[in-house]
Amino acid sequence: MPRERGEKVIATNRRAHHEYSIEKTYEAGLVLTGTEVKSLRQGRANLSDGYAYIDGGQAYLDAVHIPEYSQGHWTNHSAKRTRKLLLHKEEIVKLSHAVSAGGYTLIPLKLYFSDGRAKVEIGVAKGKHEWDKRQTLRERQDKREAERAMRSRNRLGE
């Protein structure tokens, strides 16, 4: 019986949705050391430079910054070490086929605790061009303006 219930988000990669179009997402467990878990429980992590890759039938997460635990000593971990991802074999095969097809990469989207266990949400992503980013921003701005106009019209009672 886990002590914690529900989901507690530690870090999100907000830049990922701007830089990439996310095709599909997967939930993966993480192999962590004790000081990494303690540092994550303090709510400290950075996913912005992180990426995942498949090597030899195993999935790994690289360049995710989990700072050293403040009360740790010689047993502390290195901040940007490579961490193994826990996925089912079928999921690893699907991910490796998607990446080897070309143009796709694996990006960490969210790092969180689910019922006391550290999880990471991995997205199969394709990089956006500059005009894609501008178009997305324009669509979001148009939607916001339309909602504003509808709200003001409803307030006036027309």
Side-chain angles (χ1 to χ4, degrees):
M1 189 84 177
R3 282 187 275 164
E4 298 178 15
R5 284 269 177 223
E7 186 175 293
K8 178 187 170 196
V9 177
I10 299 158
T12 57
N13 191 350
R14 296 187 310 164
R15 205 175 83 191
H17 289 285
H18 179 69
E19 298 284 331
Y20 302 95
S21 59
I22 309 298
E23 303 289 324
K24 190 164 170 86
T25 61
Y26 293 91
E27 180 184 64
L30 282 166
V31 176
L32 299 172
T33 63
T35 55
E36 286 174 325
V37 175
K38 290 179 180 186
S39 183
L40 287 178
R41 290 206 188 279
Q42 290 180 340
R44 303 167 61 203
N46 186 358
L47 297 176
S48 62
D49 297 332
Y51 64 94
Y53 64 93
I54 310 291
D55 185 32
Q58 299 291 329
Y60 297 96
L61 186 65
D62 201 11
V64 170
H65 184 76
I66 300 176
E68 290 186 351
Y69 183 54
S70 57
Q71 284 133 12
H73 42 82
W74 59 272
T75 59
N76 239 336
H77 63 280
S78 62
K80 282 201 173 189
R81 74 176 187 89
T82 303
R83 295 164 181 92
K84 187 175 176 182
L85 293 176
L86 302 173
L87 289 161
H88 290 284
K89 197 67 167 175
E90 304 85 43
E91 291 175 331
I92 292 174
V93 169
K94 285 180 188 176
L95 290 173
S96 66
H97 286 309
V99 171
S100 65
Y104 289 98
T105 187
L106 303 175
I107 302 294
L109 301 175
K110 182 170 64 167
L111 186 61
Y112 58 97
F113 281 107
S114 177
D115 292 336
R117 298 186 188 275
K119 304 282 185 180
V120 65
E121 187 175 82
I122 299 292
V124 178
K126 190 171 201 141
K128 283 186 182 178
H129 296 288
E130 194 63 37
W131 55 270
D132 282 336
K133 296 176 193 176
R134 285 194 300 264
Q135 182 178 357
T136 305
L137 288 174
R138 194 174 304 118
E139 288 171 359
R140 193 178 313 146
Q141 185 178 7
D142 291 343
K143 183 179 175 186
R144 199 175 310 133
E145 287 174 4
E147 287 175 355
R148 226 178 260 140
M150 299 259 292
R151 195 169 39 243
S152 67
R153 184 175 177 160
N154 287 341
R155 283 187 195 148
L156 296 175
E158 291 179 10

